[in-house]
Amino acid sequence: MAAPYERLKSWMHELNLCIRCGYCYELCHLYKSHAYETDTPRGKLLLIYGLLTGALQPDPGMVEKVVQCFYCKNCERSCSSKVSLTKIFTDAKADFLDAGIDFRGLAARTDDDLCSRCRVCQAVCKNEAISFGEDGKKIDIVKCEGCGVCAATCPSNAIIMVEGFGVTRGELRETVRAFLEEV
Amino acid sequence: MNARDIEKLREIVGEENARSSPADLYIYGADASVHAARPDLVLVPGKTEEVQAILRYANAKKIPVIPRGAGSGMSGHAVPIDGGIVLDMKRMNRILEIRPQDILCRVQPGVVDDDLNKALKPYGFMYPPAPASSCIATIGGEIANNASGTRSVKYGATRDSVLGMKVVLASGELVKLGANTNVEASGYQLERLMVGSEGTLGVIVEATMKIVPIPKIRCLGIACYNKLADAGHAVSEIIASGCSASMIELMDNVAITAVNETQNLGLPDVEAIILFEAEGRVKDAVQAEIDAIQAACEKHGGFNIETSYDAKERTRIFAGRKKLFSSLSRYKEGYACTSLADDMAVPYSRMADLAGKIHEVAARNNIIMSAYGHCGSGCMHTKILMDVTKKAQWEDARRAVAEIYDYVHSVGGTTSAEHGIGLSKAPAFKKEKADSLELQRAVKRAFDPNNILNPHKLFDAPDDWVTATELRYPVGSVREP
Ligand SMILES: Cc1cc2nc3c(=O)[nH]c(=O)nc-3n(C[C@H](O)[C@H](O)[C@H](O)COP(=O)(O)OP(=O)(O)OC[C@H]3O[C@@H](n4cnc5c(N)ncnc54)[C@H](O)[C@@H]3O)c2cc1C
């Protein structure tokens, strides 16, 4: 097992490069929906920085805030410091799991009783997050970006999306669309 | 602030609009500056009555209240140096009315600048100051900071757009300042006093702002220079020769390189460029201004001058300027871009000297600095690029900041053009305004006798910006989590 937060530590310089301008939350779906800076990409980077410097402890609330991301990558497109935001969030998930910290985040989960092992989900997953082995089907919640394509294509309706933030991707899109039309 | 205070204050805004988890407090203690601190509570009021109730309670208990917009300020204005309540104003984000016939709009303070402009566009109007951070900065934050931007050369800073406002004072009392008219000579211009007050005098809960018609035609140009000083002289020439420019932006080679690196824009690799713009109703008139600006640019060695009326091309050229600050972080491997000595203004005739001085100071102090800015309005920006993990570099930065401001003051310039004072520019500000600090303190006492509103900023900020708060960077070694 790697040393605590080994992956995140390797991003420390990137965290310093972030000028904390906040341009990343201009188009962040989560922020537009929740309207708290804690739900912004800048906020996630701050939390990770706090964790690495010992200023923050990985309590469940903090961990969920770091891993809650829809991987739309709008933040990366608007970041001119070119910080690899979503790669950092993915490494945070891996480091949390290594540290024995569980989280909900946003990931697909399978109902094994319904799964027919047809492997359609495995074929459509662009992140290669799904595997089938001796002990059944596995979804790697670090690799899973919660796009929902597996759930949409499963002929047995065996996959559900765990929405750690009480709002689905579709609902978020709708909020953002309504917001943009309003202004 | 005790548990009972937190409970009472939560009741005012409702459970879902109050936060006090370690994660929330950590995030709301930072902005785009080098500073970091932690509040005790984050409150997100939805209406004026809630702001009044919060302030009434805080004033009685002498709890600090720090109004906050987007937290994009660069000098630590919104950093809660004494803890207390961070008052996030972003939920009060309604555009209350748009009155083109009166060339004004009324907005709540949490409206984002770009959102206001999107709403004004169908009416054929715009809100003109145009700070580079317009995609996130709120109108409340812009007023409290007296923000300006690319078009300030023509339309002025935020102060020139403010007509009136509603403000909640420290006591919780609501006052109306200014008027909903284009001119006013009815006593003290207290709405102007709120401009640039950095959250220390009251909480702005509504603002009436002047709007202007969107010009039909715009032309953007770019001029190259082999000497940075020549570009500085050209800025002064354009202004003094009476050209009506709607934008004059300067970028030095550090800025050009950084922007090319991150945005892949292919800007010419010269010592400096000037971006200029003219606008109006009639193409011939716009072209006449462009010709005059071009002549002024050429007089000081400007070459490869290109201009374009095409909207797409103009956006492409300008994109680099918009993303400049954050691009600077990618200028040199191992260096990060810090917001220090970030902003100043000097008389136009000193622009060229200042640009050179910035690089001279940087070289002497083992750091890198960039000279750029909305030079058309007399504003110069710089940033300090350095290895933020090394203690010695912070000493270098401390010296460089002091040297830059000593120069700025010596030529009759001022500490901030538009980014405000906050914490990191406070030492320079206190030097510059030494003879009026007591007067400013007296004004503060008249508005806020218990000193609860954004305390220990501006004239009352610590004398050393490096130790004023924790730094946001891991100076020295990173502690084990
Ligand atoms: C990349 C980048 C580019 C920038 N470019 C520019 C630029 O071109 N021009 C420019 O002027 N600035 C610029 N800035 C600085 C900053 O964005 C602006 O000064 C902006 O006005 C700050 O708005 P905000 O909503 O983020 O305010 P915050 O940073 O949240 O707050 C700033 C100050 O305003 C006070 N405040 C906020 N809301 C209220 C309220 N309702 N009532 C009373 N006080 C309040 C706060 O207490 C604080 O003192 C830039 C910043 C960044 C990161």
Side-chain angles (χ1 to χ4, degrees):
Chain A
M1 193 193 280
Y5 311 116
E6 202 52 43
R7 297 179 191 79
L8 286 179
K9 276 183 193 163
S10 71
W11 290 110
M12 195 53 165
H13 183 57
E14 291 277 310
L15 298 182
N16 293 339
L17 293 188
C18 163
I19 59 155
R20 298 190 179 167
C21 62
Y23 284 16
C24 56
Y25 63 79
E26 175 199 359
L27 293 171
C28 173
H29 293 202
L30 260 189
Y31 173 67
K32 289 287 185 215
S33 172
H34 291 15
Y36 264 101
E37 287 184 43
T38 322
D39 294 298
T40 60
R42 169 171 87 172
K44 292 186 202 316
L45 293 188
L46 265 146
L47 294 181
I48 292 169
Y49 179 83
L51 181 75
L52 291 181
T53 54
L56 284 176
Q57 295 307 312
D59 65 65
M62 177 270 196
V63 169
E64 282 304 329
K65 289 295 170 197
V66 172
V67 301
Q68 287 175 358
C69 171
F70 280 99
Y71 286 86
C72 69
K73 304 197 179 181
N74 280 347
C75 54
E76 280 174 16
R77 281 187 283 276
S78 52
C79 176
S80 30
S81 301
K82 293 273 175 251
V83 176
S84 307
L85 289 112
T86 59
K87 281 193 190 139
I88 299 177
F89 305 153
T90 301
D91 277 352
K93 290 197 275 183
D95 276 355
F96 286 141
L97 286 185
D98 280 356
I101 299 165
D102 203 8
F103 52 83
R104 283 164 66 82
L106 171 73
R109 307 279 155 100
T110 309
D111 182 337
D112 284 332
D113 292 342
L114 293 179
C115 175
S116 64
R117 300 173 67 83
C118 69
R119 301 189 180 214
V120 168
C121 54
Q122 189 179 23
V124 296
C125 178
K126 66 179 173 24
N127 295 314
E128 299 180 353
I130 301 177
S131 58
F132 286 84
E134 294 280 291
D135 44 352
K137 177 183 161 183
K138 273 212 181 100
I139 299 179
D140 181 333
I141 63 168
V142 174
K143 286 183 178 169
C144 174
E145 293 182 352
C147 69
V149 172
C150 57
T153 49
C154 174
S156 316
N157 283 333
I159 303 178
I160 50 153
M161 302 305 297
V162 171
E163 314 283 6
F165 356 134
V167 55
T168 66
R169 180 188 282 257
E171 282 163 356
L172 281 182
R173 286 235 171 86
E174 190 49 37
T175 323
V176 176
R177 196 189 55 74
F179 168 82
L180 290 174
E181 274 179 10
E182 216 174 278
V183 298
Chain B
M1 200 171 177
N2 58 36
R4 190 173 149 68
D5 293 330
I6 293 185
E7 195 191 311
K8 284 275 165 207
L9 288 159
R10 270 179 189 276
E11 277 170 19
I12 296 173
V13 290
E15 194 60 31
E16 68 283 12
N17 298 309
R19 298 277 170 106
S20 57
S21 79
D24 288 297
L25 299 182
Y26 194 71
I27 286 171
Y28 280 88
D31 62 2
S33 71
V34 300
H35 302 286
R38 260 184 255 202
D40 299 297
L41 182 64
V42 179
L43 296 176
V44 194
K47 41 185 193 234
T48 298
E49 293 75 17
E50 291 174 2
V51 177
Q52 289 182 274
I54 293 166
L55 284 179
R56 246 180 258 124
Y57 189 92
N59 198 37
K61 298 276 183 148
K62 299 196 171 56
I63 300 169
V65 176
I66 298 87
R68 182 180 175 96
S72 70
M74 295 195 201
S75 310
H77 327 41
V79 171
I81 178 165
D82 297 324
I85 303 162
V86 164
L87 201 63
D88 180 352
M89 300 302 291
K90 289 194 286 298
R91 196 155 71 93
M92 291 182 66
N93 64 351
R94 281 183 19 243
I95 296 169
L96 301 169
E97 56 174 354
I98 294 173
R99 287 165 37 187
Q101 67 281 27
D102 293 322
I103 56 164
L104 62 81
C105 64
R106 266 190 328 117
V107 300
Q108 290 188 321
V111 170
V112 171
D113 185 311
D114 272 2
D115 292 339
L116 176 59
N117 273 304
K118 266 182 224 153
L120 291 170
K121 204 171 176 193
Y123 297 85
F125 277 78
M126 64 178 194
Y127 173 64
S133 51
S134 61
C135 60
I136 46 160
T138 64
I139 299 299
E142 291 184 6
I143 295 173
N145 236 16
N146 194 14
S148 60
T150 47
R151 299 231 157 79
S152 292
V153 56
K154 178 167 177 182
Y155 300 100
T158 302
R159 67 178 176 196
D160 303 299
S161 294
V162 170
L163 299 174
M165 62 182 78
K166 287 186 185 164
V167 175
V168 176
L169 301 176
S171 59
E173 191 188 340
L174 179 70
V175 291
K176 265 193 270 174
L177 308 177
N180 289 352
T181 54
N182 196 34
V183 286
E184 192 212 5
S186 314
Y188 293 154
Q189 310 282 296
L190 293 182
E191 75 289 359
R192 286 275 183 129
L193 191 54
M194 294 303 299
V195 176
S197 62
E198 301 190 5
T200 62
L201 297 183
V203 181
I204 301 156
V205 287
E206 188 186 305
T208 303
M209 311 299 285
K210 203 176 351 192
I211 55 177
V212 298
I214 300 173
K216 290 206 164 54
I217 295 162
R218 277 193 177 130
C219 181
L220 184 74
I222 175 169
C224 299
Y225 290 87
N226 281 330
K227 288 207 183 104
L228 177 58
D230 289 347
H233 290 304
V235 171
S236 175
E237 179 82 28
I238 299 170
I239 296 289
S241 61
C243 302
S244 169
S246 51
M247 178 200 302
I248 308 171
E249 296 284 323
L250 179 132
M251 288 168 69
D252 70 358
N253 187 265
V254 174
I256 295 168
T257 308
V259 161
N260 278 343
E261 172 73 25
T262 60
Q263 313 289 308
N264 200 16
L265 290 179
L267 292 176
D269 184 19
V270 288
E271 206 172 280
I273 55 171
I274 289 181
L275 299 175
F276 55 87
E277 185 195 69
E279 55 179 31
R281 283 163 169 281
V282 183
K283 193 164 181 184
D284 285 350
V286 173
Q287 190 57 46
E289 294 300 341
I290 288 289
D291 290 344
I293 297 172
Q294 196 163 332
C297 286
E298 279 166 350
K299 190 169 163 193
H300 292 277
F303 63 96
N304 282 357
I305 298 179
E306 283 176 41
T307 59
S308 176
Y309 286 88
D310 178 65
K312 262 203 187 132
E313 184 60 10
R314 285 189 288 119
T315 309
R316 191 190 67 81
I317 296 173
F318 188 62
R321 173 60 190 92
K322 192 99 181 149
K323 300 274 176 98
L324 205 167
F325 171 22
S326 31
S327 300
L328 286 169
S329 260
R330 293 288 174 187
Y331 178 75
K332 187 177 171 192
E333 193 63 35
Y335 277 38
C337 169
T338 61
S339 181
L340 292 171
D342 48 296
D343 152 69
M344 62 211 70
V346 290
Y348 289 110
S349 59
R350 298 306 183 122
M351 204 62 93
D353 284 352
L354 173 60
K357 190 79 185 174
I358 286 173
H359 288 285
E360 183 197 311
V361 168
R364 194 169 45 239
N365 289 294
N366 322 308
I367 52 173
I368 297 172
M369 294 178 86
S370 170
Y372 67 97
H374 315 301
C375 292
S377 51
C379 153
M380 181 73 87
H381 291 335
T382 176
K383 297 285 170 297
I384 291 186
L385 316 187
M386 62 179 182
D387 181 345
V388 288
T389 61
K390 296 226 167 77
K391 280 207 178 94
Q393 285 269 272
W394 288 91
E395 292 308 319
D396 294 331
R398 193 202 309 260
R399 267 194 319 276
V401 169
E403 285 177 28
I404 292 284
Y405 281 120
D406 281 349
Y407 172 79
V408 167
H409 298 159
S410 76
V411 297
T414 188
T415 308
S416 174
E418 53 174 40
H419 294 171
I421 302 300
L423 292 166
S424 47
K425 290 207 275 306
F429 164 77
K430 286 198 245 183
K431 255 190 180 175
E432 181 198 337
K433 302 286 185 193
D435 56 359
S436 69
L437 290 182
E438 269 320 305
L439 195 56
Q440 299 202 37
R441 287 196 182 102
V443 171
K444 164 79 172 162
R445 275 195 300 275
F447 274 77
D448 178 17
N450 289 334
N451 194 23
I452 61 161
L453 281 165
N454 207 4
H456 293 117
K457 301 288 165 66
L458 291 166
F459 36 79
D460 281 338
D463 283 328
D464 178 17
W465 60 264
V466 183
T467 53
T469 60
E470 245 179 71
L471 290 170
R472 61 146 282 198
Y473 297 100
V475 188
S477 65
V478 182
R479 272 179 281 153
E480 280 304 308

